[in-house]
Amino acid sequence: MSGNVVIIGAGPAGLTAAYLLAKQQVPVSVIEADPHYVGGLARTINYKGFHFDIGGHRFFSKAKAVEDLWTELLPDDLLERPRLSRIYYRGKFFSYPLKASEALWKLGVIESALCLASYAKAKMWPVKEPRTFADWVSNQFGERLFRIFFKTYTEKVWGMDCREISADWAAQRIKGLSLGRAILQALKPHRQPENRQQVIKTLIETFRYPRRGPGMMWEAAARRVTEMGGAILLGRRVIALNHDTERNLFRLTYQDAQGEEECCEAEHVISSAPLPQLVSCLSPTVSEQARRAAHALRYRDFLLVALILKDRQQLADHWIYIHDPAVKVGRIQNFKAWSPEMVPDPALCCYGLEYFCFAGDGLWEMSDPALIELASRELKQLGLAESADVLDGCVVRQRQAYPVYDEQYAQNVEIIRRELEERYPHLHLVGRNGMHKYNNQDHAMMTAMLTVENILAGRRIYDPWKVNQDAEYIEAGSAGEESSVSGERWVPQRAR
């Protein structure tokens, strides 16, 4: 190809694309709104020497190309971590993945019998065409276990009734897992499958993790891009994206923190920006139908309250899910368990309490001291710390963390996608917010990898929208062509 590429967003998708393009000597620039950090939702915050994620990020993928790229970027800094996560329900902790004997004992004989009966009923009389999250999970686990282990946490995350959430989200995030499968997994001898494709992501027992958090990976990627001649422009926000149809070039206008504007031109633009923001910047403007579709897309925002406290060794988990409506916190990360290097003092630990909200609501508008007080109080209420243990705290606010899967989201995304592909063939959508898909970083990376293949080839070989939640490429047709970015062959699976 000739010409250059500009990438909007320095998250996993954007930096994967930038790194692979730079390796092929394609002029590339990355425009990122954050003035300090790369990595997007996978960045790592540094507060007084304490490192913490915006949610935990496991480094595990069924896609070999993704695993190989992680190893290439951080060959000596990836730890192998044994997974430990639990569910907190009614004052008790339940291992996740499920351990059948533990669940039976802690739920009690009567409750366990009712759960099994509910599961049997779901198998005999399932909802034939599950449209909502509640229908899908009840089909897989039974309605009673849905209410115990899914309903409260899910409604905390999304701020809406489970009957308003599309079944697509459940199928994507809990793919391949059912009560029967979970029980079998709990009873089987623990060993790693020979084939990574056989692993259900929800049930993996080990994963890799950078010594100082996932941001370490993306800082390495950004450094490599600049070493190869690319540009990483932090603290810039794209405010206009104009397409010159005669020259088939994009002109991007971006603004720094002082309001100063700069411009650049590109033959191709790769965007991981939220679709509503992208659509609002485009000129010539999209149709009224596409504008309405973009306006209708919704996002859930996110607060992380990182508490630094004396380490009483009360929590060995990497994270726990809080299925308790009496507290607002939805999940708690234990960053020292992810890697000891995340905490500079061995006598201390750092917990990240995650609160899901909408920007502008009561939680979002609370002051930082009030949020730190709330998190400290709820940590004590859960029996995980005493008030005197908390020494310091830090609050991170994350806009548009989770694309909402309501009943109309798929139709709205399809309207936008169809029009952009027709009118702007050199505008490529990648990543979680760029495609309005609630995916993991390996999924986002794979959409970027395939997009790079298409740009280098000068034509559309792959459809990044067919990357599934396991970062596998599903294609109706024959196997793919030779990969420019890896020197290997992509072997797309036939549609199933």
Side-chain angles (χ1 to χ4, degrees), residues 34 36-38 40 42-54 209 211-216 219 304 306 308 335 341-345 350 392-396:
D34 193 299
H36 305 294
Y37 295 102
V38 297
R43 69 189 184 277
T44 298
I45 306 296
N46 184 344
Y47 175 74
K48 299 181 180 179
F50 290 81
H51 295 75
F52 48 87
D53 301 7
I54 311 303
Y209 190 77
R211 292 185 299 106
R212 292 195 175 178
M216 192 178 188
E219 290 159 11
L304 177 76
I308 298 166
F335 296 114
E341 292 191 42
M342 303 285 275
V343 177
D345 186 338
C350 181
D392 198 357
C394 174
V395 176
V396 177

mmCIF file of all heavy atoms in Angstrom, residues 34 36-38 40 42-54 209 211-216 219 304 306 308 335 341-345 350 392-396:
data_model
loop_
_atom_site.group_PDB
_atom_site.id
_atom_site.type_symbol
_atom_site.label_atom_id
_atom_site.label_comp_id
_atom_site.label_asym_id
_atom_site.label_seq_id
_atom_site.Cartn_x
_atom_site.Cartn_y
_atom_site.Cartn_z
ATOM 1 N N ASP A 34 -6.058 10.711 26.314
ATOM 2 C CA ASP A 34 -5.458 10.701 27.641
ATOM 3 C C ASP A 34 -4.087 11.390 27.592
ATOM 4 O O ASP A 34 -3.254 11.048 26.756
ATOM 5 C CB ASP A 34 -5.292 9.265 28.142
ATOM 6 C CG ASP A 34 -4.980 9.195 29.629
ATOM 7 O OD1 ASP A 34 -3.932 9.732 30.036
ATOM 8 O OD2 ASP A 34 -5.775 8.615 30.376
ATOM 9 N N HIS A 36 -1.631 11.230 29.754
ATOM 10 C CA HIS A 36 -0.564 10.561 30.480
ATOM 11 C C HIS A 36 -0.360 9.096 30.091
ATOM 12 O O HIS A 36 0.769 8.618 30.057
ATOM 13 C CB HIS A 36 -0.817 10.631 31.985
ATOM 14 C CG HIS A 36 -1.020 12.016 32.499
ATOM 15 N ND1 HIS A 36 -0.021 12.966 32.481
ATOM 16 C CD2 HIS A 36 -2.126 12.614 33.032
ATOM 17 C CE1 HIS A 36 -0.487 14.101 32.993
ATOM 18 N NE2 HIS A 36 -1.745 13.913 33.335
ATOM 19 N N TYR A 37 -1.456 8.363 29.862
ATOM 20 C CA TYR A 37 -1.390 6.912 29.752
ATOM 21 C C TYR A 37 -1.798 6.422 28.369
ATOM 22 O O TYR A 37 -2.697 6.976 27.727
ATOM 23 C CB TYR A 37 -2.325 6.255 30.771
ATOM 24 C CG TYR A 37 -1.947 6.480 32.217
ATOM 25 C CD1 TYR A 37 -2.617 7.420 32.993
ATOM 26 C CD2 TYR A 37 -0.930 5.734 32.810
ATOM 27 C CE1 TYR A 37 -2.285 7.621 34.328
ATOM 28 C CE2 TYR A 37 -0.588 5.932 34.140
ATOM 29 C CZ TYR A 37 -1.265 6.874 34.893
ATOM 30 O OH TYR A 37 -0.933 7.069 36.207
ATOM 31 N N VAL A 38 -1.139 5.345 27.936
ATOM 32 C CA VAL A 38 -1.630 4.547 26.818
ATOM 33 C C VAL A 38 -2.247 3.271 27.404
ATOM 34 O O VAL A 38 -2.040 2.941 28.567
ATOM 35 C CB VAL A 38 -0.504 4.195 25.827
ATOM 36 C CG1 VAL A 38 0.065 5.444 25.192
ATOM 37 C CG2 VAL A 38 0.591 3.376 26.501
ATOM 38 N N GLY A 40 -5.709 2.579 27.104
ATOM 39 C CA GLY A 40 -7.170 2.669 27.171
ATOM 40 C C GLY A 40 -7.704 2.029 28.435
ATOM 41 O O GLY A 40 -7.205 2.283 29.542
ATOM 42 N N ALA A 42 -7.192 -0.859 29.305
ATOM 43 C CA ALA A 42 -6.164 -1.777 29.812
ATOM 44 C C ALA A 42 -4.932 -1.024 30.304
ATOM 45 O O ALA A 42 -3.848 -1.602 30.414
ATOM 46 C CB ALA A 42 -5.762 -2.777 28.722
ATOM 47 N N ARG A 43 -5.072 0.251 30.626
ATOM 48 C CA ARG A 43 -3.940 1.002 31.158
ATOM 49 C C ARG A 43 -3.720 0.642 32.632
ATOM 50 O O ARG A 43 -4.600 0.070 33.282
ATOM 51 C CB ARG A 43 -4.172 2.507 31.013
ATOM 52 C CG ARG A 43 -5.267 3.086 31.897
ATOM 53 C CD ARG A 43 -5.545 4.533 31.487
ATOM 54 N NE ARG A 43 -6.528 5.201 32.337
ATOM 55 C CZ ARG A 43 -7.843 5.100 32.196
ATOM 56 N NH1 ARG A 43 -8.351 4.322 31.258
ATOM 57 N NH2 ARG A 43 -8.663 5.763 32.995
ATOM 58 N N THR A 44 -2.569 0.983 33.130
ATOM 59 C CA THR A 44 -2.250 0.774 34.538
ATOM 60 C C THR A 44 -1.930 2.123 35.166
ATOM 61 O O THR A 44 -1.035 2.823 34.696
ATOM 62 C CB THR A 44 -1.058 -0.184 34.706
ATOM 63 O OG1 THR A 44 -1.399 -1.459 34.151
ATOM 64 C CG2 THR A 44 -0.722 -0.376 36.176
ATOM 65 N N ILE A 45 -2.675 2.462 36.220
ATOM 66 C CA ILE A 45 -2.470 3.725 36.925
ATOM 67 C C ILE A 45 -1.352 3.568 37.952
ATOM 68 O O ILE A 45 -1.260 2.538 38.622
ATOM 69 C CB ILE A 45 -3.772 4.156 37.645
ATOM 70 C CG1 ILE A 45 -4.949 4.208 36.663
ATOM 71 C CG2 ILE A 45 -3.592 5.494 38.354
ATOM 72 C CD1 ILE A 45 -4.816 5.222 35.573
ATOM 73 N N ASN A 46 -0.534 4.584 38.088
ATOM 74 C CA ASN A 46 0.527 4.615 39.095
ATOM 75 C C ASN A 46 0.190 5.714 40.097
ATOM 76 O O ASN A 46 0.157 6.891 39.750
ATOM 77 C CB ASN A 46 1.881 4.890 38.424
ATOM 78 C CG ASN A 46 3.040 4.842 39.422
ATOM 79 O OD1 ASN A 46 2.844 4.899 40.626
ATOM 80 N ND2 ASN A 46 4.253 4.738 38.900
ATOM 81 N N TYR A 47 -0.085 5.312 41.345
ATOM 82 C CA TYR A 47 -0.416 6.259 42.399
ATOM 83 C C TYR A 47 0.536 6.029 43.569
ATOM 84 O O TYR A 47 0.460 5.008 44.256
ATOM 85 C CB TYR A 47 -1.871 6.071 42.843
ATOM 86 C CG TYR A 47 -2.282 6.930 44.029
ATOM 87 C CD1 TYR A 47 -2.497 8.300 43.874
ATOM 88 C CD2 TYR A 47 -2.447 6.368 45.294
ATOM 89 C CE1 TYR A 47 -2.886 9.088 44.952
ATOM 90 C CE2 TYR A 47 -2.834 7.152 46.375
ATOM 91 C CZ TYR A 47 -3.046 8.510 46.207
ATOM 92 O OH TYR A 47 -3.426 9.293 47.283
ATOM 93 N N LYS A 48 1.481 6.941 43.733
ATOM 94 C CA LYS A 48 2.455 6.862 44.828
ATOM 95 C C LYS A 48 3.202 5.526 44.841
ATOM 96 O O LYS A 48 3.475 4.957 45.900
ATOM 97 C CB LYS A 48 1.768 7.095 46.170
ATOM 98 C CG LYS A 48 1.107 8.463 46.308
ATOM 99 C CD LYS A 48 0.466 8.635 47.686
ATOM 100 C CE LYS A 48 -0.191 10.001 47.820
ATOM 101 N NZ LYS A 48 -0.835 10.183 49.160
ATOM 102 N N GLY A 49 3.495 5.010 43.639
ATOM 103 C CA GLY A 49 4.223 3.746 43.540
ATOM 104 C C GLY A 49 3.342 2.516 43.542
ATOM 105 O O GLY A 49 3.816 1.400 43.306
ATOM 106 N N PHE A 50 2.045 2.681 43.802
ATOM 107 C CA PHE A 50 1.085 1.574 43.720
ATOM 108 C C PHE A 50 0.530 1.528 42.298
ATOM 109 O O PHE A 50 0.154 2.556 41.729
ATOM 110 C CB PHE A 50 -0.061 1.765 44.720
ATOM 111 C CG PHE A 50 0.357 1.605 46.151
ATOM 112 C CD1 PHE A 50 0.968 2.651 46.838
ATOM 113 C CD2 PHE A 50 0.147 0.410 46.827
ATOM 114 C CE1 PHE A 50 1.374 2.511 48.155
ATOM 115 C CE2 PHE A 50 0.545 0.254 48.151
ATOM 116 C CZ PHE A 50 1.162 1.305 48.815
ATOM 117 N N HIS A 51 0.479 0.341 41.717
ATOM 118 C CA HIS A 51 -0.015 0.161 40.363
ATOM 119 C C HIS A 51 -1.359 -0.556 40.414
ATOM 120 O O HIS A 51 -1.507 -1.541 41.147
ATOM 121 C CB HIS A 51 0.978 -0.656 39.522
ATOM 122 C CG HIS A 51 2.283 0.030 39.309
ATOM 123 N ND1 HIS A 51 3.243 0.136 40.296
ATOM 124 C CD2 HIS A 51 2.798 0.664 38.225
ATOM 125 C CE1 HIS A 51 4.292 0.802 39.823
ATOM 126 N NE2 HIS A 51 4.045 1.124 38.574
ATOM 127 N N PHE A 52 -2.328 -0.074 39.632
ATOM 128 C CA PHE A 52 -3.614 -0.774 39.593
ATOM 129 C C PHE A 52 -4.288 -0.594 38.242
ATOM 130 O O PHE A 52 -4.081 0.394 37.542
ATOM 131 C CB PHE A 52 -4.534 -0.337 40.740
ATOM 132 C CG PHE A 52 -4.664 1.146 40.933
ATOM 133 C CD1 PHE A 52 -5.612 1.874 40.237
ATOM 134 C CD2 PHE A 52 -3.835 1.810 41.823
ATOM 135 C CE1 PHE A 52 -5.753 3.235 40.430
ATOM 136 C CE2 PHE A 52 -3.960 3.178 42.028
ATOM 137 C CZ PHE A 52 -4.924 3.900 41.324
ATOM 138 N N ASP A 53 -5.083 -1.617 37.893
ATOM 139 C CA ASP A 53 -5.787 -1.667 36.618
ATOM 140 C C ASP A 53 -7.140 -0.983 36.718
ATOM 141 O O ASP A 53 -7.684 -0.800 37.803
ATOM 142 C CB ASP A 53 -6.083 -3.114 36.203
ATOM 143 C CG ASP A 53 -4.844 -3.961 36.073
ATOM 144 O OD1 ASP A 53 -3.758 -3.475 36.423
ATOM 145 O OD2 ASP A 53 -4.973 -5.106 35.635
ATOM 146 N N ILE A 54 -7.703 -0.704 35.560
ATOM 147 C CA ILE A 54 -9.105 -0.298 35.462
ATOM 148 C C ILE A 54 -9.891 -1.589 35.246
ATOM 149 O O ILE A 54 -10.331 -1.929 34.148
ATOM 150 C CB ILE A 54 -9.318 0.676 34.294
ATOM 151 C CG1 ILE A 54 -8.271 1.797 34.347
ATOM 152 C CG2 ILE A 54 -10.733 1.260 34.329
ATOM 153 C CD1 ILE A 54 -8.256 2.569 35.651
ATOM 154 N N TYR A 209 0.459 -12.458 33.114
ATOM 155 C CA TYR A 209 0.180 -11.101 33.577
ATOM 156 C C TYR A 209 1.491 -10.328 33.666
ATOM 157 O O TYR A 209 2.479 -10.832 34.216
ATOM 158 C CB TYR A 209 -0.493 -11.157 34.959
ATOM 159 C CG TYR A 209 -1.033 -9.831 35.432
ATOM 160 C CD1 TYR A 209 -2.218 -9.312 34.927
ATOM 161 C CD2 TYR A 209 -0.345 -9.089 36.400
ATOM 162 C CE1 TYR A 209 -2.716 -8.102 35.366
ATOM 163 C CE2 TYR A 209 -0.833 -7.871 36.832
ATOM 164 C CZ TYR A 209 -2.018 -7.384 36.318
ATOM 165 O OH TYR A 209 -2.519 -6.181 36.748
ATOM 166 N N ARG A 211 4.409 -7.900 34.967
ATOM 167 C CA ARG A 211 4.862 -7.690 36.342
ATOM 168 C C ARG A 211 4.243 -6.452 36.984
ATOM 169 O O ARG A 211 3.930 -6.449 38.173
ATOM 170 C CB ARG A 211 6.387 -7.538 36.370
ATOM 171 C CG ARG A 211 7.172 -8.784 36.027
ATOM 172 C CD ARG A 211 8.661 -8.554 36.205
ATOM 173 N NE ARG A 211 9.185 -7.495 35.351
ATOM 174 C CZ ARG A 211 9.541 -6.285 35.773
ATOM 175 N NH1 ARG A 211 9.415 -5.972 37.052
ATOM 176 N NH2 ARG A 211 10.024 -5.381 34.944
ATOM 177 N N ARG A 212 4.061 -5.413 36.211
ATOM 178 C CA ARG A 212 3.501 -4.174 36.756
ATOM 179 C C ARG A 212 2.222 -3.769 36.033
ATOM 180 O O ARG A 212 1.972 -2.586 35.790
ATOM 181 C CB ARG A 212 4.538 -3.055 36.708
ATOM 182 C CG ARG A 212 5.690 -3.305 37.671
ATOM 183 C CD ARG A 212 6.521 -2.075 37.906
ATOM 184 N NE ARG A 212 7.536 -2.310 38.928
ATOM 185 C CZ ARG A 212 8.437 -1.410 39.305
ATOM 186 N NH1 ARG A 212 8.440 -0.213 38.747
ATOM 187 N NH2 ARG A 212 9.319 -1.695 40.243
ATOM 188 N N GLY A 213 1.409 -4.751 35.708
ATOM 189 C CA GLY A 213 0.088 -4.470 35.173
ATOM 190 C C GLY A 213 0.033 -4.430 33.661
ATOM 191 O O GLY A 213 1.055 -4.348 32.978
ATOM 192 N N PRO A 214 -1.173 -4.473 33.104
ATOM 193 C CA PRO A 214 -1.340 -4.535 31.651
ATOM 194 C C PRO A 214 -0.818 -3.306 30.925
ATOM 195 O O PRO A 214 -0.418 -3.385 29.767
ATOM 196 C CB PRO A 214 -2.858 -4.673 31.475
ATOM 197 C CG PRO A 214 -3.436 -4.128 32.725
ATOM 198 C CD PRO A 214 -2.462 -4.483 33.809
ATOM 199 N N GLY A 215 -0.808 -2.159 31.618
ATOM 200 C CA GLY A 215 -0.266 -0.965 30.966
ATOM 201 C C GLY A 215 1.180 -1.140 30.532
ATOM 202 O O GLY A 215 1.632 -0.507 29.577
ATOM 203 N N MET A 216 1.891 -2.018 31.224
ATOM 204 C CA MET A 216 3.287 -2.303 30.870
ATOM 205 C C MET A 216 3.380 -2.837 29.437
ATOM 206 O O MET A 216 4.322 -2.510 28.689
ATOM 207 C CB MET A 216 3.849 -3.314 31.870
ATOM 208 C CG MET A 216 5.338 -3.502 31.831
ATOM 209 S SD MET A 216 5.851 -4.702 33.113
ATOM 210 C CE MET A 216 7.621 -4.533 33.002
ATOM 211 N N GLU A 219 2.583 0.184 27.055
ATOM 212 C CA GLU A 219 3.694 1.127 27.052
ATOM 213 C C GLU A 219 4.837 0.593 26.189
ATOM 214 O O GLU A 219 5.488 1.348 25.464
ATOM 215 C CB GLU A 219 4.168 1.384 28.483
ATOM 216 C CG GLU A 219 3.179 2.188 29.315
ATOM 217 C CD GLU A 219 3.373 2.019 30.807
ATOM 218 O OE1 GLU A 219 4.409 1.439 31.220
ATOM 219 O OE2 GLU A 219 2.487 2.444 31.575
ATOM 220 N N LEU A 304 -13.510 3.355 39.873
ATOM 221 C CA LEU A 304 -12.617 2.483 40.633
ATOM 222 C C LEU A 304 -12.117 3.258 41.839
ATOM 223 O O LEU A 304 -11.547 4.344 41.703
ATOM 224 C CB LEU A 304 -11.434 2.031 39.783
ATOM 225 C CG LEU A 304 -10.410 1.179 40.543
ATOM 226 C CD1 LEU A 304 -10.943 -0.235 40.729
ATOM 227 C CD2 LEU A 304 -9.071 1.140 39.837
ATOM 228 N N ALA A 306 -9.457 2.807 44.570
ATOM 229 C CA ALA A 306 -8.300 2.009 45.005
ATOM 230 C C ALA A 306 -7.961 2.386 46.434
ATOM 231 O O ALA A 306 -7.676 3.558 46.725
ATOM 232 C CB ALA A 306 -7.112 2.258 44.079
ATOM 233 N N ILE A 308 -5.528 1.746 49.721
ATOM 234 C CA ILE A 308 -4.251 1.231 50.217
ATOM 235 C C ILE A 308 -4.434 0.956 51.703
ATOM 236 O O ILE A 308 -4.866 1.840 52.462
ATOM 237 C CB ILE A 308 -3.131 2.251 49.977
ATOM 238 C CG1 ILE A 308 -2.966 2.489 48.466
ATOM 239 C CG2 ILE A 308 -1.821 1.774 50.602
ATOM 240 C CD1 ILE A 308 -2.127 3.699 48.132
ATOM 241 N N PHE A 335 -4.916 -6.263 43.904
ATOM 242 C CA PHE A 335 -3.835 -6.078 42.929
ATOM 243 C C PHE A 335 -2.535 -6.756 43.340
ATOM 244 O O PHE A 335 -1.736 -7.135 42.486
ATOM 245 C CB PHE A 335 -3.620 -4.588 42.679
ATOM 246 C CG PHE A 335 -4.823 -3.934 42.045
ATOM 247 C CD1 PHE A 335 -5.554 -2.985 42.725
ATOM 248 C CD2 PHE A 335 -5.248 -4.308 40.779
ATOM 249 C CE1 PHE A 335 -6.667 -2.398 42.151
ATOM 250 C CE2 PHE A 335 -6.360 -3.741 40.199
ATOM 251 C CZ PHE A 335 -7.079 -2.778 40.889
ATOM 252 N N GLU A 341 4.585 -7.011 42.525
ATOM 253 C CA GLU A 341 5.223 -5.752 42.166
ATOM 254 C C GLU A 341 4.236 -4.600 42.008
ATOM 255 O O GLU A 341 4.649 -3.448 41.834
ATOM 256 C CB GLU A 341 6.045 -5.921 40.885
ATOM 257 C CG GLU A 341 7.257 -6.812 41.060
ATOM 258 C CD GLU A 341 8.195 -6.768 39.868
ATOM 259 O OE1 GLU A 341 8.436 -5.662 39.345
ATOM 260 O OE2 GLU A 341 8.681 -7.842 39.469
ATOM 261 N N MET A 342 2.936 -4.899 42.058
ATOM 262 C CA MET A 342 1.938 -3.833 41.985
ATOM 263 C C MET A 342 1.922 -3.011 43.278
ATOM 264 O O MET A 342 1.404 -1.899 43.308
ATOM 265 C CB MET A 342 0.560 -4.428 41.730
ATOM 266 C CG MET A 342 0.441 -5.281 40.471
ATOM 267 S SD MET A 342 0.399 -4.327 38.963
ATOM 268 C CE MET A 342 -1.354 -3.942 38.870
ATOM 269 N N VAL A 343 2.439 -3.582 44.367
ATOM 270 C CA VAL A 343 2.419 -2.928 45.685
ATOM 271 C C VAL A 343 3.863 -2.767 46.158
ATOM 272 O O VAL A 343 4.569 -3.761 46.331
ATOM 273 C CB VAL A 343 1.600 -3.755 46.699
ATOM 274 C CG1 VAL A 343 1.648 -3.121 48.083
ATOM 275 C CG2 VAL A 343 0.160 -3.893 46.218
ATOM 276 N N PRO A 344 4.333 -1.540 46.393
ATOM 277 C CA PRO A 344 5.756 -1.336 46.709
ATOM 278 C C PRO A 344 6.154 -1.745 48.120
ATOM 279 O O PRO A 344 7.342 -1.963 48.375
ATOM 280 C CB PRO A 344 5.933 0.176 46.517
ATOM 281 C CG PRO A 344 4.575 0.757 46.749
ATOM 282 C CD PRO A 344 3.610 -0.268 46.236
ATOM 283 N N ASP A 345 5.204 -1.851 49.053
ATOM 284 C CA ASP A 345 5.506 -2.177 50.439
ATOM 285 C C ASP A 345 4.860 -3.516 50.789
ATOM 286 O O ASP A 345 3.630 -3.636 50.770
ATOM 287 C CB ASP A 345 4.968 -1.077 51.362
ATOM 288 C CG ASP A 345 5.375 -1.268 52.816
ATOM 289 O OD1 ASP A 345 5.706 -2.407 53.211
ATOM 290 O OD2 ASP A 345 5.341 -0.285 53.577
ATOM 291 N N CYS A 350 -3.373 -3.419 48.182
ATOM 292 C CA CYS A 350 -4.186 -2.442 47.463
ATOM 293 C C CYS A 350 -5.395 -3.157 46.880
ATOM 294 O O CYS A 350 -5.250 -4.086 46.078
ATOM 295 C CB CYS A 350 -3.362 -1.779 46.361
ATOM 296 S SG CYS A 350 -4.261 -0.527 45.418
ATOM 297 N N ASP A 392 -4.948 5.130 52.748
ATOM 298 C CA ASP A 392 -4.993 6.107 51.656
ATOM 299 C C ASP A 392 -5.940 5.569 50.584
ATOM 300 O O ASP A 392 -6.358 4.398 50.627
ATOM 301 C CB ASP A 392 -3.591 6.314 51.074
ATOM 302 C CG ASP A 392 -3.467 7.601 50.267
ATOM 303 O OD1 ASP A 392 -4.484 8.318 50.109
ATOM 304 O OD2 ASP A 392 -2.358 7.885 49.770
ATOM 305 N N GLY A 393 -6.271 6.421 49.629
ATOM 306 C CA GLY A 393 -7.158 5.986 48.558
ATOM 307 C C GLY A 393 -7.052 6.894 47.349
ATOM 308 O O GLY A 393 -6.535 8.018 47.426
ATOM 309 N N CYS A 394 -7.531 6.384 46.231
ATOM 310 C CA CYS A 394 -7.475 7.105 44.964
ATOM 311 C C CYS A 394 -8.700 6.715 44.147
ATOM 312 O O CYS A 394 -9.127 5.553 44.163
ATOM 313 C CB CYS A 394 -6.192 6.739 44.221
ATOM 314 S SG CYS A 394 -6.041 7.418 42.555
ATOM 315 N N VAL A 395 -9.295 7.671 43.437
ATOM 316 C CA VAL A 395 -10.493 7.412 42.640
ATOM 317 C C VAL A 395 -10.187 7.628 41.164
ATOM 318 O O VAL A 395 -9.563 8.629 40.788
ATOM 319 C CB VAL A 395 -11.651 8.340 43.066
ATOM 320 C CG1 VAL A 395 -12.870 8.142 42.164
ATOM 321 C CG2 VAL A 395 -12.028 8.090 44.526
ATOM 322 N N VAL A 396 -10.609 6.684 40.327
ATOM 323 C CA VAL A 396 -10.481 6.812 38.874
ATOM 324 C C VAL A 396 -11.884 6.734 38.277
ATOM 325 O O VAL A 396 -12.633 5.790 38.563
ATOM 326 C CB VAL A 396 -9.602 5.693 38.274
ATOM 327 C CG1 VAL A 396 -9.543 5.820 36.754
ATOM 328 C CG2 VAL A 396 -8.202 5.742 38.870
#
